[in-house]
Amino acid sequence: MGYRVAVAGATGAVGREMLQTLAERNFPADKVIALASSRSAGREVSYGEDDVLTIGSLDKFDFADADIALFSAGGDTAKEVAPKAGAAGCIVIDNSSAFRMDDDVPLIVPEVNADTVERALPANGGRNIIANPNCSTAQLVVALKPLHDKFGVRRVVVSTYQATSGAGKAAMDELFNQTRGIYVNDPVQPELFTKQIAFNAIPHIDKFLDDGFTKEEWKMTAETKKILDPAIELVAHCVRIPVFIGHSEAVFIETEKPMTEKAVRNLLRESDGITVIDHRADEGYVTPHEAAGEDAVFISRIRKDPTIENGMVFWCVSDNLRKGAALNSVQIAELVAERGLYGR
Ligand code: A2P
């Protein structure tokens, strides 16, 4: 029996990508249902190359009519709707931060901790809710997992260069409109971003916390610990840059065991979800522009950190709408389907 799959937030940057990814990967769906706010009800969205779906209103949808729901409709909506959907027996895979740190909600990157999926089921103490991590965390833990298994990652320092699509479709529009406006001398009026995003870099994603870090930076630490290993120490500095799609990260790791550049390169090369492009030449590394539309986490610029005993530095780039959001959610849905799990 196939699954009835709903996508909540189907008009958004991630929601559209979820529909695209479900179609591209031939997810075993008997039925796909597109949902958004009542403002969008009746409009159409594409599903794959040929199909078009009519959008339904999320607040009127009965989740007894779906087996799996991919949510990308924001944290507030998720908090209100996902528990009800779960209680109706639908397995919710939520892209917001609403449930990520809840003990009864598995936080999953399939290459790293696929086996936690069954904890989502009520029979195992779950609420039929599975969380998808923050986009910057998802690509990072894919890279860290094989390194941790082999060399024991003790500490990570990471600086991010994050695309505007991570903040949704309206944020991409803000970059586009500001960029165009600057060429014709229009005054810049930040709306979603705190400062001008066009031709700029903003070291402020999500709100400030008491210790001076931002919530985005905190999420990278807390989520890496939950997904990979609570013993890993991680400090992050997150920056929004004027790129539409593709998050980049400069990653500095310190490990228990010694490692060589060659061993790291070979290990990452054979690891799930990773493509290594690493030549010391003009074309020998990947930029976000090239990662957009791709599924892989790309690793480049692997080099030894000469300032500590067991240290390595690398550059990690991925399409934040795919591995950071839609693809990871669909991979979780595939795990649910492969294991034949149902929430009711
Ligand atoms: P809509 O387009 O109808 O507002 P993004 O992350 O790109 O900003 O997209 C957010 C998605 O979440 C959109 O599909 C948006 O639908 C949907 N959404 C936002 N608020 C609600 C809500 N209260 N109920 C249902 N869907 C919502």
Side-chain angles (χ1 to χ4, degrees):
M1 192 178 88
Y3 282 80
R4 298 166 300 169
V5 183
V7 173
T11 53
V14 172
R16 284 170 195 270
E17 201 71 38
M18 284 170 162
L19 288 169
Q20 195 57 32
T21 309
L22 283 167
E24 245 175 57
R25 293 171 69 94
N26 286 322
F27 185 82
D30 277 353
K31 191 174 175 198
V32 178
I33 304 140
L35 302 167
S37 77
S38 51
R39 297 179 292 274
S40 305
R43 281 175 42 199
E44 292 183 328
V45 276
S46 3
Y47 175 61
E49 299 281 303
D50 306 316
D51 289 331
V52 164
L53 305 173
T54 302
I55 295 169
S57 180
L58 176 63
D59 57 9
K60 298 209 176 72
F61 185 70
D62 180 355
F63 278 92
D65 294 333
D67 304 303
I68 298 178
L70 307 183
F71 269 56
S72 187
D76 292 342
T77 308
K79 271 188 198 138
E80 193 192 321
V81 185
K84 293 183 201 154
C90 174
I91 298 180
V92 174
I93 300 163
D94 178 43
N95 193 49
S96 81
S97 61
F99 305 102
R100 287 181 194 150
M101 299 314 294
D102 292 4
D103 285 340
D104 56 358
V105 173
L107 177 63
I108 300 183
V109 173
E111 292 86 346
V112 182
N113 62 343
D115 285 341
T116 58
V117 67
E118 296 185 23
R119 289 191 205 155
L121 299 183
N124 302 325
R127 283 186 280 161
N128 278 335
I129 302 176
I130 300 169
N132 196 63
N134 174 268
C135 36
S136 302
T137 311
Q139 68 186 67
L140 179 64
V141 295
V142 169
L144 293 181
K145 164 77 176 162
L147 296 169
H148 189 48
D149 286 350
K150 181 132 192 205
F151 304 112
V153 175
R154 196 186 279 164
R155 179 167 182 259
V156 181
V157 180
V158 56
S159 288
T160 70
Y161 310 76
Q162 298 183 216
T164 52
S165 52
K169 190 175 172 305
M172 299 170 82
D173 293 345
E174 186 162 329
L175 170 59
F176 181 85
N177 291 329
Q178 265 182 22
T179 307
R180 193 173 53 182
I182 283 167
Y183 280 111
V184 293
N185 281 328
D186 277 351
V188 171
Q189 214 123 53
E191 287 171 22
L192 284 169
F193 294 110
T194 47
K195 303 220 177 191
Q196 173 181 321
I197 183 63
F199 308 101
N200 207 1
I202 306 176
H204 175 190
I205 304 181
D206 210 331
K207 61 183 185 198
F208 281 107
L209 304 176
D210 289 344
D211 60 4
F213 283 90
T214 61
K215 185 95 185 280
E216 185 82 355
E217 291 157 353
W218 173 85
K219 283 177 200 163
M220 289 192 77
T221 302
E223 294 179 16
T224 299
K225 283 176 180 286
K226 178 163 173 177
I227 299 167
L228 190 52
D229 187 344
I232 294 177
E233 298 294 355
L234 184 147
V235 60
H237 181 81
C238 296
V239 180
R240 188 77 70 189
I241 58 164
V243 157
F244 286 110
I245 294 175
H247 283 1
S248 309
E249 299 174 344
V251 187
F252 302 73
I253 61 165
E254 184 179 357
T255 55
E256 302 282 343
K257 296 186 192 145
M259 58 197 152
T260 62
E261 282 171 9
K262 195 168 167 213
V264 167
R265 201 171 286 119
N266 287 341
L267 174 66
L268 293 176
R269 215 167 247 149
E270 58 200 33
S271 299
D272 284 349
I274 296 177
T275 299
V276 175
I277 306 226
D278 189 21
H279 311 287
R280 288 159 187 179
D282 293 353
E283 72 291 347
Y285 50 85
V286 174
T287 61
H289 177 65
E290 293 146 316
E294 302 288 334
D295 285 350
V297 172
F298 293 94
I299 307 288
S300 308
R301 306 268 344 261
I302 299 168
R303 62 219 191 261
K304 214 163 167 31
D305 177 351
T307 65
I308 50 172
E309 203 180 334
N310 297 324
M312 201 62 70
V313 187
F314 58 90
W315 176 244
C316 170
V317 181
S318 194
D319 181 329
N320 55 298
L321 297 178
R322 291 206 160 216
K323 186 58 200 168
L327 171 65
N328 198 68
S329 297
V330 172
Q331 285 177 309
I332 297 172
E334 288 170 350
L335 262 183
V336 169
E338 275 159 30
R339 296 181 186 212
L341 308 180
Y342 281 89
R344 54 176 80 81

